[in-house]
Amino acid sequence: MNIAVIDRVMLRFFAELQGWFALAATSFARMFRRPYYYREFAVQFDKLGFSSLFICMLTGLFTGMVMALQALVQLKPFAATSYVGGMVAVTMIKELGPVLASLMVAGRVGSAITAELGTMVVTEQVDAMRVEGTDIVKRLVAPRLKAMLLALPLLTAVADAVSLLGGYIMASGYGINPTMYLKGIPQFMVFQDLIEGLVKPAVFGFLIAMTGCYVGLNTRGGAEGVGNSAKQAVVVSSVLILMFDFFLTKIFVVFRG
C-alpha cells in the first residue's frame, strides 16, 4: 500500500516537472517570435516591476543597516571598522540582495500571476481565447516572463544600492566618512561579483514567472482552487530560489577558482 502511494506521488511529481519544463521551453522560444504584445509587456512590467519597487527598497535599506551593524560590532575590537563598506557590499550584492529581493517579489508578484491566470482558467476565459485561435503561451506567459526577466535584476540593483546607503547610515555613527566607506568596497569585490549579482536575479525571475504561470494555468476547483494555487506557487518559487541560489553560487565559485 505504501509503495503504491509513493509510486503515485512520484509519477505525479515527474509529470508536473515535465509539464513545467515543457512550458518553460515553449515560453522561452516564443519570446522571440511575433507578435510581441508590447502593450501587454508594458502593463506587466509596471505591475511586476514598479509596483514592487518600494518593498525591495525597504528590504534593502534595513538589511544593509543590519549587516553594517553586525559587521561594526565584529570589526571594532580589531580596529578594522573601515572595512565595513566592503563587507556590506560583498554580502548584499553577491548573496542577500538577489535572494531577499527575489523572495519579496515571489511573495508579492508570484502569487498575483498565479491568481490572475488561475481566475482566467476557472472562469473559462482561457478556453475562450483558445477557441478564438489565440496562442495562450505567447499571449499570457511570454509577456510576463519578459517583464520579470527585466524587472527583477533592476529591482535587485536598486535594493543593493539602497542597502549600501543603509550600511553607511549605520557606519557614520562610528566615525566612518563616505570616502573610507567606499574605499573598502573594491578590496572585497571583483567584477565577477557584479556579474553574479545580476545573473542570480535573472534566473530567479525566470523561476518565479514560470512557476506562477504554470501553476496558474493548471488551476482547478473554482475560487478555492485559485487560493490554493497562489499559495502553492509562492512556496514552490521560494524553495526553488533557495535551491538554485546554492547551485549558482557553486558554479561561480568553480569558475572563480
Side-chain angles (χ1 to χ4, degrees):
M1 181 64 180
N2 292 332
I3 297 178
V5 172
I6 294 174
D7 184 53
R8 285 198 300 271
V9 171
M10 293 300 294
L11 286 174
R12 180 177 178 183
F13 170 77
F14 284 110
E16 296 282 357
L17 191 64
Q18 180 182 3
W20 190 94
F21 275 108
L23 180 62
T26 304
S27 303
F28 190 78
R30 294 181 184 175
M31 281 173 54
F32 307 102
R33 298 180 185 175
R34 297 178 181 274
Y36 296 115
Y37 295 105
Y38 292 113
R39 180 181 177 85
E40 180 69 14
F41 166 75
V43 171
Q44 294 302 323
F45 184 79
D46 177 65
K47 291 168 63 176
L48 307 182
F50 286 108
S51 300
S52 303
L53 186 60
F54 178 73
I55 186 66
C56 288
M57 291 177 64
L58 202 62
T59 301
L61 176 65
F62 284 101
T63 305
M65 293 173 70
V66 169
M67 293 304 302
L69 184 59
Q70 294 283 8
L72 288 165
V73 170
Q74 298 297 323
L75 295 174
K76 189 175 181 181
F78 304 99
T81 53
S82 59
Y83 295 116
V84 64
M87 294 187 68
V88 172
V90 73
T91 304
M92 290 301 302
I93 293 175
K94 289 180 62 177
E95 189 61 39
L96 288 183
V99 171
L100 291 179
S102 299
L103 290 175
M104 292 297 105
V105 171
R108 186 188 183 283
V109 172
S111 58
I113 291 175
T114 307
E116 184 177 5
L117 294 182
T119 302
M120 295 178 68
V121 169
V122 298
T123 56
E124 300 181 352
Q125 296 180 51
V126 173
D127 292 335
M129 294 173 68
R130 285 197 176 101
V131 170
E132 294 173 354
T134 303
D135 188 334
I136 298 301
V137 174
K138 181 176 286 291
R139 177 68 173 82
L140 298 178
V141 180
R144 288 168 172 80
L145 178 58
K146 288 188 288 187
M148 185 64 76
L149 288 175
L150 179 62
L152 194 51
L154 294 176
L155 290 172
T156 302
V158 172
D160 291 339
V162 174
S163 70
L164 292 176
L165 175 62
Y168 174 71
I169 292 173
M170 296 304 302
S172 62
Y174 285 75
I176 298 176
N177 57 51
T179 303
M180 187 185 303
Y181 183 79
L182 294 175
K183 283 180 66 176
I185 296 177
Q187 298 178 357
F188 282 79
M189 294 190 63
V190 295
F191 182 72
Q192 181 181 321
D193 297 330
L194 299 177
I195 300 299
E196 182 177 351
L198 292 177
V199 169
K200 281 185 175 181
V203 174
F204 298 158
F206 182 84
L207 295 173
I208 294 169
M210 294 314 308
T211 302
C213 291
Y214 176 76
V215 176
L217 291 175
N218 289 275
T219 299
R220 302 291 183 272
E224 183 179 356
V226 173
N228 292 334
S229 294
K231 178 176 62 177
Q232 179 185 357
V234 173
V235 173
V236 173
S237 297
S238 301
V239 172
L240 287 176
I241 287 168
L242 297 176
M243 287 176 56
F244 275 78
D245 178 53
F246 167 76
F247 292 115
L248 290 172
T249 302
K250 185 66 175 177
I251 291 172
F252 277 103
V253 168
V254 170
F255 278 106
R256 177 189 291 269

